[in-house]
Amino acid sequence: MRDRFGVPASKLVPASFFCEAKHETTGENNFPSSRVSSFASREGFTTIGTFYHPPNVDSVRWLATEVWPRIREALPDATMRVYGAYPTEAVKQLHRPKEGFHVLGFAPSVEAAMEKSRVLLAPLRFGAGIKGKIVDAWMHGLPVVTTPIGAEGMRPGKDALWSGENAEDQEEDWGGRWRSLDAASFARDAVALHEDESEWERARARGFHLIDELFPAERNLNVVRAATEALFVEAEAEDAEDAEDAWTREEKTKNKTKTTTLESRRARDYVGGALWHHTLRSTEYFSRWIEMKETGTESGTAASDHECDAS
């Protein structure tokens, strides 16, 4: 965002996932010993994701029409469970129980959707960002089969998956398989990971390690806490341009008050100030929309309502 879209670095802080471990830190052969279900107690495949998101619609369609027939050819009794809120009619038409393909709609909980399955499939052909379904799968002890698109941003210290390293070594360090580029290779990887217990155990262990390395709750929360607390200390010049900001100096002198870092940044953020005007409360209303979409309720009264009453 900083390099491509010019968003100031002062407005950005990594706010990654905050994951609590579901496994012990040590185990046999240095693998984590999980508190979730084992290989033998699981079977079949699952995927999860809202159907408001076009990449999820495309991935399930591709999975049903091109990938799943190949998996069933190798594993005639296999089952596929597809979870996700707001399935379209086209997605519902993919529900084919006789072929082991079950479109189940909204999942009461992520744990309920994943606890009995052996492998998560994420056949994503486009999209961006860290994939929450993969984080959830690793948290619940499921190795993952995905595409290079699905695995983006989920290797420590790597901006891109494809590099000069040996591709097999790259996959060995991951919580499953991610190199599938077509339906045949995706199905082959899914069957292999579902059937090979030793590979499944290694992939699950690596998934747990990646959760600990990339998304530990306390470490990532501390980053956000530190950035938030820094906004409320007395402002200092953050760079040469800030130090020469005559308008800011004049305001400080006129008001004879000390300003916080947050106030100082807002005073210089003209675009943000325009969007924060009471007729254009974009950030407030967007956050309220997200809250109502996710919970069906609204936690409080908008600040603008009080302003309107006062006026």
Side-chain angles (χ1 to χ4, degrees), residues 68-104:
W68 186 247
R70 290 175 166 87
I71 293 176
R72 283 280 283 192
E73 184 178 351
L75 302 174
D77 297 324
T79 57
M80 180 72 218
R81 305 177 187 90
V82 178
Y83 294 95
Y86 314 110
T88 63
E89 285 303 316
V91 169
K92 291 177 183 178
Q93 293 300 316
L94 300 174
H95 181 66
R96 297 164 189 163
K98 291 184 179 179
E99 300 172 19
F101 198 93
H102 303 269
V103 178
L104 301 173

Side-chain angles (χ1 to χ4, degrees), residues 135-275:
V135 175
D136 285 332
W138 288 344
M139 283 281 291
H140 290 87
L142 273 76
V144 175
V145 175
T146 190
T147 61
I149 293 293
E152 284 179 341
M154 303 192 76
R155 288 190 68 218
K158 302 292 181 183
D159 293 327
L161 283 167
W162 299 101
S163 68
E165 303 171 32
N166 181 279
E168 292 184 2
D169 290 341
Q170 294 180 53
E171 199 162 69
E172 185 71 20
D173 289 339
W174 208 70
R177 296 191 176 196
W178 58 263
R179 288 188 293 149
S180 308
L181 293 171
D182 56 65
S185 62
F186 196 98
R188 186 166 55 249
D189 283 350
V191 170
L193 194 54
H194 187 276
E195 295 297 291
D196 188 332
E197 183 174 359
S198 61
E199 181 183 351
W200 186 90
E201 291 286 0
R202 286 194 301 272
R204 180 170 76 155
R206 185 56 186 161
F208 286 144
H209 282 306
L210 287 170
I211 288 291
D212 291 341
E213 191 168 355
L214 295 172
F215 313 117
E218 195 57 33
R219 187 192 72 193
N220 287 354
L221 282 168
N222 282 338
V223 172
V224 177
R225 288 192 196 104
T228 303
E229 291 168 0
L231 293 173
F232 299 96
V233 300
E234 183 180 344
E236 297 179 0
E238 296 183 81
D239 53 41
E241 182 180 348
D242 294 345
E244 298 301 322
D245 188 332
W247 185 87
T248 301
R249 292 201 308 273
E250 180 182 345
E251 286 297 301
K252 287 182 179 179
T253 302
K254 181 171 62 178
N255 295 323
K256 292 184 173 58
T257 57
K258 294 181 179 180
T259 60
T260 64
T261 299
L262 178 62
E263 292 167 331
S264 177
R265 289 180 183 176
R266 283 182 173 174
R268 300 189 309 276
D269 185 6
Y270 307 116
V271 174
L275 294 175

